[in-house]
């Protein structure tokens, strides 16, 4: 398992339909994720450019794919993000396995981004 996996949680997200002056749902999610037990670091961040699908979070691993998730709920997402981080950290190919992934991380994926040094399999000699 890669200890370098980091969970980024947007603190500035609003939930669709929230009043402009309402407390930020993203801040509550970041607080809940930080308080959730787990081996992976939670790093609050301002905006992941998934604002229309907030609250949003990303799971990032050096040498692996990065995943952005949206429309996360405060009740189940913090634990699911730790589970997703464990799956990503333990993968051999740098991809988060579909099997065993919490449902919220299946349904609410916004984007996946290849690692910096990504080379398509057909391009390798
Ligand atoms: S404000 Fe949360 S992704 Fe932009």
């Amino acid at each position: 398992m890669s200890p370098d996996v980091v969970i980024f949680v947007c603190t500035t997200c609003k939930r669709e339909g929230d009043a402009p002056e309402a407390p930020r749902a993203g801040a509550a999610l970041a607080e809940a994720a930080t308080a959730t037990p787990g081996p992976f670091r939670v790093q609050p961040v301002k905006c992941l450019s998934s604002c229309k699908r907030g609250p949003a979070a990303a799971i990032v691993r050096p040498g692996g794919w990065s995943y952005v998730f949206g429309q996360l709920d405060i009740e189940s997402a913090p634990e699911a993000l730790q589970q997703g981080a464990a799956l990503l950290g333990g993968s051999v190919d740098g991809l988060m396995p579909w099997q065993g992934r919490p449902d919220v991380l299946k349904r609410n994926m916004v984007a996946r981004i290849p690692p910096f040094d990504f080379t398509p399999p057909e391009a390798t000699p």
Side-chain angles (χ1 to χ4, degrees):
M1 182 179 304
S2 172
D4 297 332
V5 179
V6 178
I7 300 166
F8 291 97
V9 180
C10 173
T11 60
T12 48
C13 271
K14 295 179 179 178
R15 193 175 300 282
E16 190 176 352
D18 278 355
E21 66 279 6
R24 301 288 173 137
L29 177 60
E31 191 174 317
T34 302
T36 297
F40 300 103
R41 181 166 67 94
V42 175
Q43 178 61 59
V45 62
K46 289 183 181 175
C47 196
L48 293 164
S49 280
S50 182
C51 323
K52 296 238 184 259
R53 295 185 62 182
I59 303 176
V60 175
R61 168 192 151 177
W65 289 66
S66 299
Y67 293 81
V68 180
F69 302 95
Q71 295 172 309
L72 298 173
D73 65 87
I74 294 164
E75 292 73 31
S76 67
E79 189 175 336
L81 290 167
Q82 286 286 336
Q83 292 170 350
L87 288 169
L88 182 60
S91 81
V92 174
D93 60 5
L95 288 159
M96 186 185 295
W98 190 258
Q99 191 165 12
R101 193 187 297 188
D103 283 344
V104 68
L105 301 187
K106 290 179 177 174
R107 290 191 316 267
N108 298 32
M109 188 161 63
V110 173
R112 65 175 199 167
I113 301 154
F116 181 75
D117 59 352
F118 176 74
T119 306
E122 62 272 11
T124 54

